[in-house]
Structure formats: C-alpha cells, structure tokens
Amino acid sequence: MSGTDVLTETGPGNRVDRKPELLVLRALKLGDLLVAVPALKALRRTFPGHRLRYAAQGWLSEALGLVGGYELLPTHGLDEPLALEAGVVDVAVNLHGSGPESQGRIEALKARQTIGHRSGHRDGPPWRAELHERERWVRLLEWHGIDADPLDVGLNTPHVPSPVPDATVLHVGAAYGSRLWPADRFAAVAAALDAAGHNVVFTGGSGERDRAVDVCRRAGLPDGAVLAGRLGLGEFAATIAAARLVISADTGAAHLASAYGTPSVVLFGPAPPEIWGPPPGPHVVLTRAELRRGDTFADQPDPALLGVTVPDVLAAVGGLGLP
C-alpha cells in the first residue's frame, strides 16, 4: 500500500482500500472550465491513483466528461462550504482564484497537500493579473512541481453526433449584456454567409432562444435554423466540434471551438483577449482595445465590442479561407 492510499472501515475486521481524493475548486462557468483544461489534464497525469473531483455548478457535468477522469462535485459558487468533510481530501487545488473566499473553502478541507497561490496560510506563486488564464494555472502547477502545457486544450470526442455537421454556427448569446454584439449585425453576417453557401445555425442557451429567433428572422432564414434552447451540453459540444465555422463573443462556444480546432471568429468586448483569447490555430480575434471600458457586468455592449463591424467579421471569415 502506498503512502497516499486511504483505508476505510466497512465493518468489524473488514478494511478495504479506497483511493485518495484530489479536489479541484473552480466553481465558475463553461468557459472557465475550458481554459483550465491544460491544468486539469496535468493533474490527472500527476495523480493517476487518485479519485479526481471538480467542484463547480451541476450543469457542467457533461462538459466535464469531455475532459475525462473527473467527477463533478456540485457546488454553487462560493456561497456554501464544499460538501466534503475536513480530512477527506488528500490534495486540494485552488483553480478558482486567490481571494479569501476561495482560499477559505480550500483551507477548510484540511488536505494533506494544498496547491494554490500565495496566501496568508501558505506559500505559492504570487497572483499576476496580466497572465492569460491558461498560463496562470499552468504556472501555478509548475511552481508546485507539476509539469503542464498551456496548449494542451483538446477535449474528448462528444458521445453524441452533431445534429448539423459542417454547419456555420453563430452563437448569439452571452452571459452579460457587455458581451452581446448587436442582433442586427449578427443577422447581417448570417444573411451574407447564407448567400455564400454556408449552412447557418444559431445557438445559445434556453434563456437566449428569443434573441436567436430574432436574429434568425432578421437574417431571413427559416426558424429551423435556431438551435438555441434545443441542445443539451453534449449536443452543443458536438455541434461546435463538427462545425465549419463558429462566430461568437468571448463565451464557452469560443473555447469549445479552440478545444476542437474548429475555425472561429471571436468578438471581444470587456475582457482582453490577452487574458482570455484562443490558442494558436484557425482562430481570429476581433476587438477595438482602445475603446474598451472593461465592465463585465454592464447591461450594454462594451465599446470595444461595438467597434467591431459586419465587414470586419466577414473579412475575418475570408481570411480563414471560408468565404
């Protein structure tokens, strides 16, 4: 038995081996999961004998399955303590942040080993706000002696087929108004691409279906092109993986396109692409950095996003060799 094996009681005189547990805290959204993939894969390689758990919102379970090897521990942000007793976790990893809330949740686990940024509780690398998110978490692991590659972003093949192989996906939604490129501009792009022979479809969450229907109708396309609100997370990933092209704001759709090497045009508003942009590949970033206000939670589109025009997007598509 190795030094990290754990024994659990199953009855008088009956003791069986149980895997030691590694817990990653990153109780955020889909895009946050996807930029952490290089770190998650490095942890999986480094701790092959551990039970791997990922603390995040329950709806991410299908997406986490695309990473492979992790179980989801349903966790709604940092509002409540993690649903694990102190001392159960062998290795605790803070990929959520470096503030007192996430550090407190990690410290409460009383793990044998903790991997995190420098805090009042323990040593670690200092937090550097200017780092790209993929680089940030890779650098954290490397400080703790774990090899990781920031370009190791690939995901497993979705377990379901794409309902629309080779489609051009316009993901018209976003979590915040600051990232919503105007509907009339999405519609103009859709109409132009449809005229050029693209099979255009519109994706988004269930709460974004009305917006997708509006964009579709403005573009003069049939309502059947609207997939928003109709796809499970696995089907959505399959749609992106098999797409001809993805056009999206800085959202989970863009990060899925990066993971599957699908050509994409990504429109950035409040978030700088230097921190959240795609890796090298068939991806074009469009923004007007000099106009950026940077208020993620604003109701209105960031000026850096509004500075991107329909001709800019169509030129980017042409630059990818997809007229």
Side-chain angles (χ1 to χ4, degrees):
M1 184 174 67
S2 74
T4 57
D5 286 337
V6 177
L7 292 174
T8 183
E9 298 283 354
T10 60
N14 297 319
R15 290 160 69 87
V16 297
D17 289 347
R18 186 185 72 190
K19 283 185 176 182
E21 297 205 11
L22 180 147
L23 186 282
V24 174
L25 173 63
R26 191 161 174 81
L28 298 164
K29 295 184 173 68
L30 176 60
D32 304 283
L33 165 63
L34 297 176
V35 294
V37 164
L40 294 174
K41 293 169 80 170
L43 289 166
R44 187 178 65 203
R45 288 192 299 269
T46 304
F47 296 95
H50 281 63
R51 178 187 185 186
L52 307 178
R53 305 180 82 174
Y54 182 87
Q57 297 179 56
W59 64 272
L60 287 171
S61 181
E62 279 192 274
L64 185 63
L66 298 173
V67 179
Y70 285 83
E71 302 171 42
L72 188 83
L73 179 69
T75 304
H76 184 68
L78 302 177
D79 300 339
E80 300 175 357
L82 294 166
L84 291 170
E85 294 183 8
V88 169
V89 172
D90 182 56
V91 181
V93 187
N94 187 354
L95 297 189
H96 189 99
S98 66
E101 295 87 357
S102 62
Q103 290 175 0
R105 294 294 181 234
I106 288 291
E107 292 298 329
L109 296 173
K110 299 189 182 303
R112 179 188 62 82
Q113 179 183 359
T114 296
I115 296 173
H117 285 85
R118 184 178 303 167
S119 73
H121 300 283
R122 61 187 69 251
D123 200 8
W127 182 271
R128 288 175 51 188
E130 78 280 7
L131 290 178
H132 193 287
E133 280 287 293
R134 290 188 304 274
E135 295 280 355
R136 180 189 319 288
W137 305 116
V138 163
R139 174 176 173 270
L140 170 66
L141 297 191
E142 290 178 338
W143 191 96
H144 287 276
I146 299 171
D147 290 333
D149 178 0
L151 298 183
D152 188 10
V153 300
L155 295 172
N156 296 335
T157 301
H159 69 281
V160 294
S162 169
V164 283
D166 203 37
T168 288
V169 177
L170 270 62
H171 189 79
V172 300
Y176 305 107
S178 62
R179 296 180 181 179
L180 289 178
W181 201 49
D184 60 339
R185 300 190 198 182
F186 265 123
V189 168
L193 293 178
D194 176 70
H198 290 244
N199 177 24
V200 177
V201 298
F202 304 92
T203 60
S206 56
E208 298 160 340
R209 181 169 175 81
D210 288 348
R211 174 176 165 84
V213 168
D214 177 45
V215 172
C216 179
R217 290 176 177 171
R218 289 179 188 231
L221 300 183
D223 288 351
V226 178
L227 302 183
R230 292 172 44 194
L231 303 178
L233 198 47
E235 291 177 303
F236 177 54
T239 298
I240 299 295
R244 178 183 183 184
L245 169 68
V246 174
I247 300 175
S248 170
D250 169 32
T251 67
H255 295 295
L256 281 171
S258 295
Y260 289 115
T262 302
S264 64
V265 178
V266 189
L267 316 179
F268 275 81
E274 295 80 12
I275 306 297
W276 291 95
H283 314 295
V284 178
V285 166
L286 296 177
T287 191
R288 289 286 301 277
E290 72 278 10
L291 302 178
R292 180 169 295 118
R293 184 181 299 134
D295 182 359
T296 298
F297 305 106
D299 293 332
Q300 299 301 314
D302 193 280
L305 183 64
L306 293 178
V308 177
T309 67
V310 170
D312 291 336
V313 174
L314 295 176
V317 172
L320 288 168
L322 298 166

